[in-house]
Amino acid sequence: MATLGITDLRAGLGVNIKGNDCVIIEAQHVKPGKGNTYVRTKYRNIRTGRVNEENFQQSAKFESVNMRTREMQYLYNDGNIYYFMDMETYEQTEVSNDLIGDNAKWFKENDVCQLLYANDVLYSVQPPMFIEVEITETDPGFKGDTVQATVETGAVIQVPMYLNQGERIKVDTRTAKFVSRV
């Protein structure tokens, strides 16, 4: 494994910090007027899921972590377990509800998702960046130009007031924002 310095730290990079495999969420390089350069980081422990913030001085060294992504098709869930299938080998992977977290509101059957691994340990499941869904419920519009809408996956988003129940829309799952009509 490669040894990395603070200049190598960036979002999405897998590194070993204090004996724990972690993924960098944010890395801000700081060059104060006086004193040494350092990096202000926010990172997630892969095993525990805990997010930590820490500053690292220029002398800090890190071991890299083998990161890999697998695209898999979302099949279904039974309440606590989500099932994904490798589209080439038809191998199925079970993922607990705890690991899915808030992303559960974006999963639709047969959508292709990304399963993220660090040193062969699954640490995150990302839904597709954009999904097409049907509006199942909208609030009546009184003020402004947007209303709250519930879509078929159960997510609640803001949509333009002119959209009605039953219409299909495109949603950005990263920001939970309406993109367009379909």
Side-chain angles (χ1 to χ4, degrees):
M1 295 207 196
T3 300
L4 307 171
I6 66 166
T7 56
D8 299 313
L9 297 181
R10 65 187 184 291
L13 181 70
V15 294
N16 190 295
I17 299 174
K18 299 177 185 168
N20 296 307
D21 291 342
C22 301
V23 176
I24 303 293
I25 299 169
E26 292 176 15
Q28 181 181 10
H29 296 266
V30 180
K31 295 180 182 176
K34 293 181 179 178
N36 293 330
T37 302
Y38 65 93
V39 175
R40 182 178 300 132
T41 62
K42 186 183 279 189
Y43 59 89
R44 173 177 288 115
N45 183 312
I46 292 168
R47 299 224 187 268
T48 65
R50 186 171 173 204
V51 175
N52 298 306
E53 292 184 30
E54 192 169 343
N55 296 338
F56 294 104
Q57 298 302 318
Q58 200 161 9
S59 61
K61 298 289 181 212
F62 308 93
E63 290 294 319
S64 66
V65 172
N66 181 22
M67 305 292 286
R68 125 183 119 91
T69 301
R70 286 180 69 188
E71 287 196 344
M72 298 185 100
Q73 184 179 35
Y74 169 62
L75 299 175
Y76 65 95
N77 77 64
D78 65 7
N80 294 326
I81 304 290
Y82 286 74
Y83 296 89
F84 295 87
M85 179 182 69
D86 185 310
M87 296 172 295
E88 293 174 10
T89 64
Y90 302 108
E91 167 194 345
Q92 288 191 17
T93 301
E94 298 177 2
V95 181
S96 75
N97 194 25
D98 299 338
L99 192 62
I100 301 288
D102 289 339
N103 285 336
K105 64 185 173 193
W106 302 119
F107 291 132
K108 278 181 45 198
E109 288 183 9
N110 301 323
D111 276 353
V112 176
C113 302
Q114 292 188 334
L115 279 69
L116 308 176
Y117 292 85
N119 285 343
D120 294 324
V121 175
L122 178 64
Y123 72 91
S124 181
V125 179
Q126 300 296 316
M129 266 191 234
F130 300 98
I131 60 172
E132 294 180 5
V133 288
E134 183 177 315
I135 297 174
T136 57
E137 185 183 326
T138 58
D139 290 343
F142 295 111
K143 264 184 164 176
D145 56 357
T146 62
V147 294
Q148 235 181 19
T150 304
V151 296
E152 66 184 277
T153 61
V156 178
I157 63 168
Q158 295 290 322
V159 298
M161 203 159 58
Y162 60 81
L163 292 173
N164 298 310
Q165 184 174 330
E167 290 193 64
R168 293 194 62 76
I169 60 172
K170 187 175 188 178
V171 177
D172 185 334
T173 61
R174 297 165 299 175
T175 60
K177 302 250 189 245
F178 165 81
V179 176
S180 65
R181 272 184 171 155
V182 177

